[in-house]
Amino acid sequence: GQGNWLFYVDSVSLYQGKQSWEDTDAMIAEIADFVKAVAPVPVVAAVIPNKTFVYPSKLPNWINISNQRNEIINKLNDMDALYVVDTLPALAQATVSQDTYMAGDTHWNGYGAYVAYQSIIAGINQQLGWQLKVKDDIAEVQANDTFLGGLARMNGAGKGTDTEKTLVFAINHAQKVEKAFDLSAFKTPDYQNPQGQYKVFTLHDSFMDHHLGRYLAESFAEMNNAWMHSFSQAVPAIQQSQPDMVLIEIVDRHIQR
């Protein structure tokens, strides 16, 4: 991209409308089956945007946007009993004043994750009628000026290209606990928080592991986290866990099989 910004090919494909509809519809159908399988537990899908949609000005000039992402969001919204929170509007607005993603990595920085956290909690409260609180006692923002992103490493960059930001709260109420379920080779911590509300079971990708899980844990009483989107495999664990809600965190380019 422009200004040494790097992008996944898959994220550009979705931006251009070239993501396979067959694969996308297969994933949407799988989500619909999953929602039915875990009923009556409410399922919220928090859709995370590829940075192509947050930083279109950083893409090469010859790449044009399509309407495919909007069509995917509409299909999710049309699904019975699925509550959808699209974090793109909040992230796009926040990016006007400061960076939310990193040039050499596919992920957001700590500030972008916090914006998404606010958006997700607000969406849950609005759609489920809950009153979850957003953690806002930010004591400092730690900056790592030598962060070497995954895309930069893949591209052969020899030094850090980004400033990674980590938001530090004055008090962290959530504590990591022993994982309740072993569903994935990738291990995201489970949390308990005596100051939080409700029990949530999350199915997620790498964006949860990049700051977001730590933020969400400050709002919920208990979080069981599984780094996976194999929805049918997660059903027995969810039924055993008996959460108040299931949260699917998924970056938009992963809405395909």
Side-chain angles (χ1 to χ4, degrees):
Q2 302 187 43
N4 294 320
W5 276 68
L6 303 176
F7 298 88
Y8 268 135
V9 172
D10 285 352
S11 68
V12 176
S13 294
L14 175 60
Y15 188 86
Q16 294 179 296
K18 297 180 179 180
Q19 181 166 298
S20 165
W21 273 116
E22 181 179 357
D23 294 343
T24 299
D25 287 339
M27 171 67 95
I28 292 173
E30 189 173 332
I31 293 174
D33 290 340
F34 171 76
V35 170
K36 294 176 182 177
V38 300
V41 178
V43 179
V44 175
V47 182
I48 312 303
N50 282 291
K51 69 180 185 180
T52 48
F53 295 98
V54 183
Y55 286 89
S57 63
K58 301 297 186 181
L59 290 166
N61 292 329
W62 54 268
I63 294 179
N64 297 314
I65 192 170
S66 75
N67 198 45
Q68 187 173 29
R69 186 184 190 277
N70 290 335
E71 293 174 5
I72 292 172
I73 296 295
N74 288 339
K75 287 193 173 191
L76 292 174
N77 277 319
D78 289 341
M79 192 182 304
D80 290 338
L82 178 69
Y83 303 93
V84 181
V85 179
D86 184 6
T87 60
L88 174 56
L91 285 161
Q93 181 177 0
T95 303
V96 173
S97 59
Q98 60 178 297
D99 281 334
T100 54
Y101 285 65
M102 293 179 286
D105 197 271
T106 190
H107 299 102
W108 46 36
N109 58 32
Y111 172 66
Y114 186 77
V115 171
Y117 159 59
Q118 292 176 305
S119 175
I120 292 168
I121 295 298
I124 292 171
N125 285 342
Q126 179 182 6
Q127 299 199 53
L128 299 186
W130 290 2
Q131 294 183 341
L132 289 165
K133 297 178 181 178
V134 170
K135 184 77 167 173
D136 60 3
D137 60 334
I138 300 171
E140 63 174 313
V141 179
Q142 296 177 347
N144 173 9
D145 293 325
T146 60
F147 181 83
L148 184 60
L151 294 179
R153 291 194 300 271
M154 292 166 60
N155 199 44
K159 61 181 181 180
T161 59
D162 290 297
T163 297
E164 163 66 304
K165 298 176 181 179
T166 300
L167 276 59
V168 179
F169 297 126
I171 300 176
N172 289 300
H173 294 293
Q175 300 295 322
K176 296 178 183 178
V177 296
E178 183 178 353
K179 288 199 69 65
F181 302 97
D182 187 15
L183 297 177
S184 172
F186 299 101
K187 307 301 181 186
T188 308
D190 288 353
Y191 293 92
Q192 290 183 354
N193 177 5
Q195 302 296 318
Q197 301 169 274
Y198 302 105
K199 180 178 182 179
V200 62
F201 198 114
T202 78
L203 303 176
H204 63 86
D205 53 36
S206 59
F207 278 78
M208 180 71 77
D209 195 50
H210 206 83
H211 301 291
L212 180 61
R214 180 171 63 86
Y215 298 157
L216 286 168
E218 293 297 325
S219 294
F220 290 104
E222 186 174 347
M223 283 183 68
N224 296 136
N225 298 312
W227 190 330
M228 62 185 299
H229 289 141
S230 299
F231 299 108
S232 59
Q233 295 180 23
V235 171
I238 292 169
Q239 292 172 337
Q240 181 180 343
S241 174
Q242 297 184 330
D244 298 300
M245 181 191 76
V246 174
L247 175 64
I248 299 172
E249 175 275 307
I250 187 167
V251 66
D252 44 22
R253 72 173 181 273
H254 287 165
I255 306 176
Q256 60 175 322
R257 274 290 180 237

